Amino acid sequence: MRLIVWLKIQLQSKMMEYGMALAVAAPVREIYGQAYIVMLRMIVFFILLLIVSILIAFSVGKRITRRLAKIADVAHQVGQGKINIKLPIWANDEIGELCRVLNDTSDKIHDSMEEMHNLTYHDALTGLYNRLGMKKYIKEWFESNADKPAALVSLDLDDFKFTNDIYGHTIGDIALKTLAKLLLEHFADKAFVGRNGGDEFVVFLYDTTKYEAWKKLPALVN
């Protein structure tokens, strides 16, 4: 035993003397087994990473698709005239900017439609209903209240042409506005007040009998 130990020491000394190193060689099968295990772990890691990436991409894509579908639906409704719909601003990204643009566009369309409606059915000078507006609202009232009484009063300003000729159209316009204001104040309840044109005005008294209408007229004339 001592001889073997002495030989090992001598062998190591000689190898160190000639710049050689003593190495222990592991079996090839063991090395391959360890490499296989390391490779298998790396493959499993990359597979898990790929699955997580796919799930994240799917979740984000589904959320974006849902938001775009909502935007498309609102845009379609706005195109059909439903302009009071608002989109929530989900985030400060491209989709959020698209929502802001669509909301701003909806507001502008709403304002334009209100202005167009006002110009179509109201008199520009007095703000009363014009002839088209009176026809529209009287027709709508009768469609819902065919069995109820109503009265129609037509009136104008005396010698209005003389006022225009003597004092000018500016004074004439003031006279028309003043009469419009008086009519609105006098027939405040249950009435549509309109201007047919020139100095001609009309008052539609709904839920009012002809006798009730006659009672209102003297107070206006006086």
Side-chain angles (χ1 to χ4, degrees):
M1 184 68 181
R2 293 179 179 178
L3 179 60
I4 294 174
V5 173
W6 182 82
L7 287 174
K8 285 183 177 181
I9 294 174
Q10 294 298 317
L11 178 61
Q12 291 179 0
S13 299
K14 291 295 182 183
M15 292 179 67
M16 293 178 63
E17 182 180 348
Y18 291 101
M20 300 174 65
L22 181 64
V24 178
V28 175
R29 183 179 298 176
E30 183 179 348
I31 294 175
Y32 282 165
Q34 293 178 355
Y36 176 77
I37 293 173
V38 173
M39 185 178 298
L40 184 61
R41 289 177 179 174
M42 292 180 63
I43 292 174
V44 172
F45 173 77
F46 282 117
I47 290 175
L48 291 176
L49 183 62
L50 180 61
I51 292 174
V52 172
S53 301
I54 292 174
L55 290 176
I56 293 174
F58 178 76
S59 176
V60 173
K62 187 176 181 180
R63 184 168 64 251
I64 292 175
T65 301
R66 186 169 57 249
R67 291 176 179 178
L68 290 176
K70 177 64 176 178
I71 293 173
D73 179 62
V74 170
H76 179 69
Q77 293 186 57
V78 170
Q80 291 181 332
K82 300 176 181 179
I83 54 177
N84 293 323
I85 303 175
K86 293 294 182 182
L87 279 167
I89 308 299
W90 289 291
N92 292 323
D93 54 8
E94 288 79 4
I95 294 181
E97 182 62 25
L98 180 59
C99 292
R100 278 189 286 271
V101 171
L102 186 58
N103 287 340
D104 291 342
T105 303
S106 177
D107 290 338
K108 291 178 181 178
I109 293 175
H110 180 269
D111 294 341
S112 297
M113 290 185 67
E114 281 194 344
E115 183 178 359
M116 183 167 53
H117 182 275
N118 185 64
L119 292 174
T120 302
Y121 297 111
H122 290 80
D123 177 58
L125 177 64
T126 62
L128 302 177
Y129 294 119
N130 58 19
R131 183 178 302 178
L132 184 60
M134 289 298 294
K135 290 178 64 176
K136 176 181 184 297
Y137 290 107
I138 290 174
K139 178 182 178 182
E140 290 178 353
W141 186 87
F142 272 119
E143 289 175 351
S144 302
N145 305 276
D147 57 336
K148 294 183 179 180
L152 187 66
V153 179
S154 180
L155 50 93
D156 59 23
L157 288 173
D158 292 337
D159 301 322
F160 181 69
K161 186 178 182 303
F162 177 78
T163 301
N164 273 337
D165 292 342
I166 298 299
Y167 299 104
H169 290 282
T170 301
I171 300 300
D173 288 347
I174 294 175
L176 293 174
K177 291 179 181 179
T178 301
L179 177 58
K181 183 179 179 181
L182 290 174
L183 291 175
L184 287 174
E185 291 174 352
H186 185 73
F187 298 103
D189 299 327
K190 299 181 179 180
F192 297 142
V193 183
R195 179 190 177 201
N196 278 338
D199 63 339
E200 297 180 2
F201 292 80
V202 63
V203 180
F204 178 73
L205 299 167
Y206 55 87
D207 291 338
T208 304
T209 65
K210 64 180 180 179
Y211 301 105
E212 292 172 335
W214 276 114
K215 291 179 181 179
K216 287 180 175 290
L217 292 180
L220 176 65
V221 174
N222 295 332

